[in-house]
Amino acid sequence: MKTDKSRELFCRSRQVIPGGVNSPVRAFQAVGGDPLFIQRAQGSHITDVDGNTYLDYVCSWGPAILGHAHPRVVEAVQKACADGLSFGAPTRREMILAELIKEAMPSIEKLRLVNSGTEAVMSAIRVARGYTKRDRIIKFKGNYHGHSDGLLVKAGSAALTTAVPDSAGVPRSYTENTLVALYNDRASVQELMEKYGHTVAAIIVEPVAANMGVVLPQPGFLGFLRDITREYGALLIFDEVITGFRLGYGGAQEQYGISPDLTTLGKIIGGGMPLAAYGGKEEIMNQVSPMGHVYQAGTLSGNPAATAAGIATLEILRDHPGYYQELEEKGQQLAQAFRQRGEERGERLQVNQAGSLLCAFHTDRPVLDYDSAVSSDTQEYAAFFRYMLEAGIYMAPSQYEAMFVSVAHTPQEIQQTCQAIREYPKYRR
Ligand code: HOZ
């Protein structure tokens, strides 16, 4: 496989962009080799600048649930662009997208559109603090909520593989109100709440963790968080940037039957464009300026092209409820292929899957939390990643990300992937 052009662009990029990338995981540091520079993507495939085409399981890290460049989404964006790219004034599309989101997630009575998941979470936390008049928050070790200062504490995603779970450049005073509990460990939450509960503004959680690989909530864990936050008058924030509109049209909150006070969304709601949102109970969201005293603003918030992509994507998903069953089946088939390989070859493999999100960890410990996730043999993952790439299949370039499946992956492509997974020869470079 020729990758000369990617390599050349990577060399040039490194001269002007730190590490040659605009988001660390893209640099392939966790798997070795140089990143592929992508020329275009269509449906379930991406093509690099050297002309190599791959079956894509990164799916832009989640947004491409319909596959890349869905014709209806592209057409909606083109139409919006022709009318102007940004106005910094209200539009009909913003309202329609907000209505669609509210309809899908009854816990969201009002919402604000922003540009990225990081911004959505940062704003939701500010609202929680403004509403409760409390400063502390609790997050979970290995959960990732974007790169705002107060949340870069024991974070997941590339913060995990680049060894900066606590980033330099974040003053200690910015994180002293961030308490860290253990995912799926009620006792650790209970302990913090007993000590600090009446000063805790919110507990924020990825309802299905998808930034330390995929880790499912244990039965009752999310319900426990709902109860304990109510008990102490704190808010429960579901970070559904990844799970929203992916686990089902109503997100993880619908799947697990839990109604959070605030929700953050991103990825799918922008249909591939930079768009995110935070929302929740009306009384809480009415704290946001200009109604209330919690300030949050943005020149490109509710951008016309991004909202057009989001509306088209959500309308397609809403009108095809069967897609979610198909995605679940595809996820199960891929998970089963990993399990079969593990059993047949006596390999240490733990497979976690929730709908179209999945991850195979190279460890013999069931993966329920951060510590079990990092017991995974990342060199083994790196070898598997390179093998899959050679087989024309593009996986996340890190053990600690999810494998994303889209509506565009055909049954044949899933079978082809399952075969490649099963046939993975155990080798190391
Ligand atoms: N935080 C994202 C993965 N969980 C990274 C996205 C990107 O590099 O595009």
Side-chain angles (χ1 to χ4, degrees), residues 22-26 60-61 144 157-158 210-211 242 267 400-401:
N22 283 309
S23 189
V25 69
R26 302 179 192 179
S60 185
W61 303 99
Y144 180 73
S157 192
N211 285 287
I242 289 182
K267 302 202 190 262
Y400 300 117
E401 303 285 354

Side-chain angles (χ1 to χ4, degrees), residues 24-25 29 139 143-144 146-149 151-170 370:
V25 69
Q29 270 185 5
K139 79 172 285 288
N143 275 198
Y144 180 73
H147 63 274
S148 66
D149 286 330
L151 288 156
L152 274 182
V153 183
K154 305 279 177 263
S157 192
L160 220 158
T161 46
T162 50
V164 284
D166 301 289
S167 173
V170 178
Y370 174 89

